[in-house]
Coordinates of all heavy atoms in Angstrom, one line a residue:
K217 N 137.5 -69.6 189.6 CA 136.3 -69.7 190.5 C 135.5 -70.9 190.3 O 135.0 -71.6 191.2 CB 135.4 -68.4 190.3 CG 135.9 -67.1 190.9 CD 135.0 -66.0 190.6 CE 133.7 -66.0 191.4 NZ 132.9 -64.8 191.2
A218 N 135.4 -71.3 189.0 CA 134.7 -72.6 188.6 C 135.4 -73.8 189.2 O 134.8 -74.7 189.7 CB 134.6 -72.7 187.1
M219 N 136.7 -73.8 189.2 CA 137.5 -74.9 189.7 C 137.4 -74.9 191.3 O 137.3 -76.0 191.8 CB 139.0 -74.7 189.3 CG 139.2 -74.9 187.8 SD 140.9 -74.4 187.3 CE 141.9 -75.6 188.2
Q220 N 137.4 -73.8 191.9 CA 137.3 -73.7 193.4 C 135.9 -74.2 193.9 O 135.8 -74.9 194.9 CB 137.6 -72.3 193.8 CG 139.0 -71.9 193.7 CD 139.2 -70.4 194.0 OE1 138.3 -69.7 194.3 NE2 140.5 -70.0 194.0
V221 N 134.8 -73.9 193.1 CA 133.5 -74.2 193.6 C 133.1 -75.6 193.2 O 132.1 -76.1 193.7 CB 132.5 -73.1 193.1 CG1 132.2 -73.3 191.6 CG2 131.2 -73.1 193.9
A222 N 133.8 -76.2 192.3 CA 133.4 -77.5 191.7 C 133.2 -78.6 192.8 O 132.2 -79.3 192.7 CB 134.4 -77.9 190.6
P223 N 134.1 -78.7 193.7 CA 133.9 -79.8 194.7 C 132.7 -79.7 195.6 O 132.4 -80.7 196.3 CB 135.2 -79.8 195.5 CG 136.2 -79.0 194.7 CD 135.4 -78.0 193.9
T224 N 132.1 -78.5 195.7 CA 130.9 -78.3 196.5 C 129.6 -78.6 195.8 O 129.6 -78.9 194.6 CB 130.9 -76.9 197.1 OG1 130.6 -76.0 196.0 CG2 132.3 -76.6 197.7
D225 N 128.5 -78.4 196.5 CA 127.2 -78.6 195.8 C 126.5 -77.2 195.7 O 125.3 -77.1 195.5 CB 126.3 -79.5 196.6 CG 126.6 -81.0 196.3 OD1 127.2 -81.2 195.2 OD2 126.4 -81.9 197.1
I226 N 127.3 -76.1 195.8 CA 126.7 -74.8 195.8 C 126.1 -74.5 194.4 O 126.8 -74.8 193.3 CB 127.7 -73.7 196.1 CG1 128.2 -74.0 197.6 CG2 127.2 -72.3 196.0 CD1 129.3 -73.0 198.0
S227 N 125.0 -73.8 194.3 CA 124.4 -73.4 193.0 C 125.3 -72.3 192.5 O 125.7 -71.4 193.2 CB 123.0 -72.9 193.2 OG 122.2 -74.0 193.7
V228 N 125.4 -72.3 191.1 CA 126.3 -71.3 190.5 C 125.4 -70.6 189.4 O 124.7 -71.3 188.6 CB 127.5 -72.0 189.9 CG1 128.4 -70.9 189.1 CG2 128.3 -72.7 191.0
L229 N 125.6 -69.3 189.2 CA 125.0 -68.6 188.2 C 126.1 -68.0 187.3 O 126.9 -67.2 187.8 CB 124.1 -67.4 188.7 CG 123.4 -66.5 187.7 CD1 122.5 -67.4 186.8 CD2 122.7 -65.4 188.3
V230 N 126.1 -68.3 186.0 CA 127.1 -67.8 185.1 C 126.5 -66.7 184.3 O 125.4 -66.9 183.7 CB 127.6 -68.9 184.1 CG1 128.7 -68.4 183.2 CG2 128.0 -70.1 184.9
T231 N 127.1 -65.5 184.3 CA 126.6 -64.4 183.6 C 127.5 -63.9 182.5 O 128.7 -64.2 182.6 CB 126.3 -63.2 184.5 OG1 127.5 -62.8 185.2 CG2 125.3 -63.6 185.6
G232 N 127.0 -63.2 181.5 CA 127.9 -62.7 180.4 C 127.0 -62.5 179.2 O 125.9 -63.1 179.1
E233 N 127.5 -61.8 178.2 CA 126.8 -61.6 177.0 C 126.7 -62.9 176.2 O 127.4 -63.8 176.4 CB 127.5 -60.5 176.2 CG 127.6 -59.1 176.8 CD 128.3 -58.1 176.0 OE1 128.7 -58.4 174.9 OE2 128.5 -57.0 176.5
S234 N 125.8 -62.8 175.2 CA 125.6 -64.0 174.3 C 126.9 -64.2 173.5 O 127.4 -63.2 172.9 CB 124.4 -63.7 173.4 OG 124.3 -64.8 172.5
G235 N 127.3 -65.4 173.4 CA 128.5 -65.8 172.6 C 129.8 -65.7 173.3 O 130.9 -65.9 172.6
V236 N 129.9 -65.6 174.6 CA 131.2 -65.5 175.3 C 131.7 -66.9 175.8 O 132.8 -67.0 176.3 CB 131.1 -64.5 176.5 CG1 130.8 -63.1 176.1 CG2 130.0 -65.0 177.5
G237 N 130.8 -67.9 175.6 CA 131.3 -69.2 176.0 C 130.8 -69.7 177.4 O 131.6 -70.4 178.1
K238 N 129.6 -69.3 177.8 CA 129.2 -69.6 179.2 C 129.0 -71.1 179.4 O 129.1 -71.6 180.5 CB 127.9 -68.8 179.5 CG 128.0 -67.3 179.5 CD 126.7 -66.7 179.9 CE 125.6 -66.8 178.9 NZ 125.8 -66.1 177.7
E239 N 128.8 -71.8 178.3 CA 128.5 -73.3 178.4 C 129.8 -74.0 178.9 O 129.6 -75.2 179.3 CB 128.0 -73.8 177.1 CG 129.0 -73.8 175.9 CD 129.0 -72.4 175.2 OE1 128.2 -71.5 175.6 OE2 129.8 -72.2 174.3
S240 N 130.9 -73.4 178.8 CA 132.1 -74.1 179.3 C 132.2 -74.2 180.8 O 132.8 -75.2 181.3 CB 133.4 -73.4 178.7 OG 133.4 -73.4 177.3
I241 N 131.7 -73.2 181.5 CA 131.8 -73.2 182.9 C 131.1 -74.4 183.6 O 131.7 -75.0 184.5 CB 131.3 -71.8 183.5 CG1 132.2 -70.7 182.9 CG2 131.4 -71.8 185.0 CD1 133.7 -70.8 183.2
P242 N 129.8 -74.7 183.3 CA 129.2 -75.8 183.9 C 129.9 -77.1 183.6 O 129.9 -78.0 184.5 CB 127.8 -75.8 183.4 CG 127.8 -74.9 182.2 CD 128.9 -73.9 182.4
K243 N 130.5 -77.3 182.4 CA 131.2 -78.5 182.1 C 132.4 -78.6 183.0 O 132.7 -79.7 183.5 CB 131.6 -78.5 180.7 CG 130.5 -78.6 179.7 CD 131.0 -78.5 178.2 CE 129.8 -78.6 177.2 NZ 130.3 -78.6 175.9
I244 N 133.1 -77.5 183.3 CA 134.3 -77.6 184.2 C 133.8 -78.0 185.6 O 134.4 -78.8 186.3 CB 135.0 -76.2 184.2 CG1 135.6 -75.9 182.8 CG2 136.0 -76.2 185.3 CD1 136.2 -74.5 182.7
I245 N 132.7 -77.3 186.0 CA 132.2 -77.6 187.4 C 131.8 -79.1 187.5 O 132.2 -79.7 188.5 CB 131.0 -76.7 187.7 CG1 131.5 -75.2 187.8 CG2 130.4 -77.1 189.0 CD1 130.4 -74.2 188.0
H246 N 131.1 -79.6 186.6 CA 130.6 -81.0 186.7 C 131.8 -82.0 186.6 O 131.9 -82.9 187.4 CB 129.7 -81.3 185.5 CG 129.2 -82.7 185.5 ND1 128.4 -83.3 186.4 CD2 129.6 -83.7 184.6 CE1 128.2 -84.5 186.1 NE2 128.9 -84.8 185.0
S247 N 132.8 -81.7 185.7 CA 133.9 -82.7 185.6 C 134.8 -82.7 186.8 O 135.5 -83.7 187.0 CB 134.6 -82.4 184.3 OG 135.3 -81.1 184.4
L248 N 134.9 -81.6 187.5 CA 135.8 -81.5 188.7 C 135.1 -81.8 190.0 O 135.7 -81.6 191.1 CB 136.5 -80.2 188.7 CG 137.4 -79.8 187.5 CD1 138.0 -78.5 187.7 CD2 138.4 -80.9 187.3
S249 N 133.8 -82.2 189.9 CA 133.0 -82.4 191.2 C 132.9 -83.9 191.4 O 133.3 -84.7 190.6 CB 131.6 -81.8 191.0 OG 130.8 -82.5 190.1
H250 N 132.3 -84.2 192.6 CA 132.1 -85.6 192.9 C 131.0 -86.2 192.2 O 130.7 -87.4 192.3 CB 131.9 -85.8 194.4 CG 130.7 -85.0 194.9 ND1 129.4 -85.6 194.9 CD2 130.5 -83.8 195.5 CE1 128.5 -84.7 195.4 NE2 129.2 -83.6 195.7
R251 N 130.3 -85.4 191.4 CA 129.1 -85.9 190.6 C 129.6 -86.2 189.1 O 128.7 -86.4 188.3 CB 128.0 -84.8 190.5 CG 127.4 -84.4 191.9 CD 126.5 -83.3 191.7 NE 125.9 -82.9 193.0 CZ 124.7 -83.4 193.5 NH1 124.1 -84.3 192.7 NH2 124.3 -83.0 194.6
K252 N 130.9 -86.2 188.9 CA 131.4 -86.4 187.5 C 130.9 -87.7 186.9 O 130.9 -87.8 185.6 CB 132.9 -86.2 187.5 CG 133.6 -87.2 188.3 CD 135.1 -87.0 188.3 CE 135.9 -87.9 189.2 NZ 137.3 -87.6 189.2
H253 N 130.6 -88.7 187.7 CA 130.2 -90.0 187.1 C 128.7 -90.0 186.9 O 128.1 -91.0 186.4 CB 130.6 -91.1 188.0 CG 132.1 -91.2 188.2 ND1 132.9 -91.5 187.1 CD2 132.9 -91.1 189.3 CE1 134.2 -91.5 187.6 NE2 134.2 -91.3 188.9
G254 N 128.0 -88.9 187.4 CA 126.5 -88.8 187.2 C 126.2 -88.2 185.9 O 127.1 -87.8 185.1
K255 N 125.0 -88.0 185.6 CA 124.6 -87.4 184.3 C 124.8 -85.9 184.3 O 124.6 -85.2 185.3 CB 123.1 -87.7 184.0 CG 122.8 -89.1 183.5 CD 121.4 -89.3 183.1 CE 121.1 -90.7 182.6 NZ 119.7 -90.9 182.1

């Protein structure tokens, strides 16, 4: 789902318990989007 939504500018909410690795999803989304050269 993160890979599919990455090329768009849609807002994404990542849910899950503490410690499941939620911080990896926004990194995937940013790196696969057209904003990857931005901050």
Side-chain angles (χ1 to χ4, degrees):
K217 287 177 70 174
M219 294 169 62
Q220 290 173 353
V221 76
T224 70
D225 280 336
I226 298 175
S227 299
V228 178
L229 179 64
V230 185
T231 60
E233 296 180 5
S234 178
V236 295
K238 296 187 292 293
E239 64 279 357
S240 298
I241 299 299
K243 291 179 181 179
I244 294 174
I245 293 174
H246 176 71
S247 64
L248 298 181
S249 70
H250 61 86
R251 299 174 180 268
K252 61 184 177 182
H253 299 297
K255 285 188 178 181

